[in-house]
C-alpha cells in the first residue's frame, strides 16, 4: 500500500504552486509528464496580466468574474460568470505561440488556463456560451452535471480536452471508476488534471469550508494508490490508473475542472470502466436524476 508521502506527488494543495498573480501554475515538468497543464490567475478589478505564448494551447476560462483578452491587435470581451456554481461561461481559445494580455472586468476575475502541448497551429477564437456542451450524467446518487468547453463540442483544439463537473453534496462523480492510460480501439492515453472548488455550507451566518474525497487506484501495469481529502483550490494529477469516485461530502456541492491531453492526434476522450464496477451503469435505468440538477443553466 502506498504511504501518504508516496501519494503526495499526485496531490497539490491550494497555494503550493502560487506566485505573483498565479494561484496555481502547474506545468508538465512539475506533473512529471508531457502534455497537460493548468494555471489559475487571480486579478483585481481592472488589473492586467501578460500571458506569454509558448508551445501550449490553452483556454481563458473564467471561474468567476469577466475579462478582456487582447491578442494580435484584437480584443475579446468575456462576460464570465459570478461563480462556477451559478452559471456556465463564454471563453477564448488561444493557440500555441500566441502572447495575450488579460484585463479583469469591474468585478475582478479568477481565470483558469487549462492547457496542452500543441502540435498544430489553429486560429485564436472567442467561444460564446452557446457553444458549451452541457448535459446530465448518471442517476440517483451518481447524478452529476457536465459542461464541455473543449470536448465533444464545436471548439477545435490540437490536443486539449477540457470540461467541468458539478456534483451535488452527497453524490459520487467519476463513477464507475474509469481509466485512459493505453491506446486501443476503445481507449486513449490521456494525462488528466482535476482542479476542485467546493461550495461552502452552513446555515445563516455559520459558513463552513467544504471538502470531498478523491480516489485513484491501480490499473493493469500501473502502480498508483491515492485516497485523499480535497478542498477548494486543491489539485490531483492522474497520469494513469482507475480514477473515481470523486465523492462530494453531504452538505457541500463539488466542482472540478478536468484538463486532459495526450499524444493521439484525434483529441478524443475514450475511456474504459473498471470491469468490476461497470454494471452500476445498468442501475441508472431505474433511477431518477437527482432533482438538485441542473445546478446551473444549460444549453
Amino acid at each position: 500500500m502506498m504511504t501518504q508521502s508516496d501519494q503526495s506527488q499526485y496531490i497539490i494543495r491550494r497555494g503550493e504552486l502560487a506566485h505573483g498573480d498565479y494561484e496555481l501554475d502547474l506545468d508538465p515538468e512539475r506533473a512529471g509528464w508531457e502534455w497537460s497543464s493548468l494555471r489559475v490567475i487571480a486579478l483585481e478589478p481592472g488589473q492586467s496580466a501578460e500571458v506569454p505564448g509558448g508551445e501550449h494551447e490553452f483556454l481563458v476560462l473564467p471561474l468567476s468574474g469577466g475579462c478582456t483578452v487582447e491578442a494580435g491587435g484584437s480584443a475579446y470581451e468575456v462576460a464570465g460568470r459570478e461563480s462556477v456554481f451559478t452559471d456556465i461561461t463564454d471563453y477564448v481559445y488561444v493557440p500555441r505561440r500566441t502572447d495575450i494580455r488579460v484585463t479583469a472586468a469591474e468585478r475582478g476575475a479568477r481565470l483558469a488556463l487549462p492547457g496542452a502541448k500543441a502540435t498544430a497551429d489553429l486560429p485564436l477564437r472567442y467561444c460564446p456560451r452557446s457553444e458549451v456542451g452541457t448535459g446530465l450524467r448518471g442517476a440517483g446518487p451518481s447524478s452529476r452535471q457536465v459542461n464541455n468547453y473543449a470536448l465533444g463540442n464545436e471548439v477545435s483544439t490540437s490536443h486539449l480536452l477540457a470540461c467541468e463537473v458539478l456534483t451535488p453534496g452527497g453524490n459520487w462523480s467519476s463513477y464507475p471508476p474509469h481509466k485512459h492510460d493505453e491506446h486501443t480501439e476503445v481507449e486513449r492515453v490521456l494525462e488528466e488534471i482535476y482542479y476542485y472548488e467546493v461550495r461552502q455550507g452552513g446555515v445563516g451566518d455559520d459558513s463552513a469550508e467544504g471538502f470531498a474525497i478523491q480516489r485513484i487506484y491501480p490499473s493493469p501495469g500501473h502502480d498508483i494508490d491515492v485516497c485523499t481529502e480535497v478542498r477548494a483550490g486543491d489539485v490531483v494529477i492522474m497520469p494513469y490508473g482507475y480514477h473515481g469516485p470523486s465523492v462530494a461530502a453531504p452538505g457541500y456541492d463539488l466542482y472540478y475542472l478536468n484538463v486532459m491531453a495526450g499524444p493521439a492526434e484525434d483529441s478524443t476522450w475514450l475511456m474504459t470502466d473498471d470491469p468490476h464496477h461497470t454494471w452500476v451503469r445498468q442501475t441508472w435505468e431505474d433511477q431518477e436524476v437527482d432533482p438538485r440538477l441542473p445546478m446551473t443553466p444549460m444549453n
Side-chain angles (χ1 to χ4, degrees):
M1 175 68 69
M2 185 172 288
T3 67
Q4 180 64 39
S5 60
D6 293 327
Q7 69 173 347
S8 65
Q9 64 182 303
Y10 306 111
I11 303 165
I12 299 163
R13 298 303 181 192
R14 176 177 55 199
E16 183 179 326
L17 298 182
H19 63 88
D21 298 327
Y22 288 84
E23 293 183 348
L24 172 71
D25 189 357
L26 173 59
D27 59 21
E29 182 178 4
R30 166 58 182 85
W33 57 34
E34 183 179 359
W35 294 91
S36 298
S37 64
L38 177 62
R39 294 167 287 178
V40 176
I41 297 180
L43 300 175
E44 298 294 329
Q47 182 184 355
S48 296
E50 307 288 340
V51 182
E55 295 306 308
H56 277 223
E57 61 185 345
F58 61 93
L59 306 180
V60 179
L61 181 67
L63 299 172
S64 63
C67 67
T68 301
V69 178
E70 298 174 81
S74 298
Y76 305 86
E77 298 296 330
V78 180
R81 53 187 167 182
E82 180 181 347
S83 84
V84 296
F85 294 106
T86 62
D87 209 347
I88 57 176
T89 184
D90 52 346
Y91 56 113
V92 172
Y93 167 79
V94 181
R96 64 177 177 176
R97 303 167 189 164
T98 302
D99 298 333
I100 67 168
R101 177 183 177 89
V102 291
T103 302
E106 61 183 15
R107 296 173 293 169
R110 292 182 64 243
L111 309 171
L113 308 179
K117 187 176 78 169
T119 58
D121 296 306
L122 300 171
L124 185 148
R125 70 187 292 264
Y126 168 79
C127 307
R129 55 175 289 139
S130 60
E131 292 187 2
V132 181
T134 59
L136 302 181
R137 188 175 297 168
S142 298
S143 303
R144 61 269 199 186
Q145 177 181 343
V146 179
N147 303 325
N148 292 326
Y149 290 90
L151 199 166
N153 61 348
E154 297 181 20
V155 179
S156 296
T157 67
S158 174
H159 289 267
L160 175 63
L161 301 174
C163 69
E164 55 190 19
V165 180
L166 293 162
T167 308
N171 284 8
W172 289 33
S173 279
S174 288
Y175 196 75
H178 61 280
K179 73 180 184 75
H180 34 73
D181 55 22
E182 58 181 329
H183 188 101
T184 70
E185 291 184 357
V186 295
E187 190 174 332
R188 292 292 183 270
V189 175
L190 294 167
E191 305 162 349
E192 186 161 23
I193 301 166
Y194 275 33
Y195 169 83
Y196 306 90
E197 297 283 351
V198 184
R199 198 202 299 259
Q200 286 190 324
V203 178
D205 295 331
D206 296 324
S207 62
E209 182 183 13
F211 67 98
I213 303 295
Q214 181 64 57
R215 180 79 170 107
I216 317 171
Y217 59 92
S219 59
H222 297 291
D223 185 16
I224 187 171
D225 199 339
V226 176
C227 186
T228 185
E229 177 184 291
V230 292
R231 296 176 181 268
D234 288 346
V235 168
V236 173
I237 59 176
M238 305 175 183
Y240 38 69
Y242 286 111
H243 40 281
S246 303
V247 184
Y252 300 102
D253 297 332
L254 173 66
Y255 163 98
Y256 53 91
L257 174 64
N258 284 1
V259 185
M260 294 178 283
E265 296 291 339
D266 54 355
S267 293
T268 302
W269 182 63
L270 292 178
M271 60 81 189
T272 57
D273 288 340
D274 181 337
H276 292 96
H277 304 299
T278 194
W279 67 269
V280 172
R281 293 183 183 275
Q282 300 172 19
T283 68
W284 297 345
E285 298 174 3
D286 300 320
Q287 299 181 64
E288 299 294 330
V289 173
D290 191 312
R292 293 174 291 177
L293 293 170
M295 293 173 65
T296 72
M298 297 176 62
N299 288 329

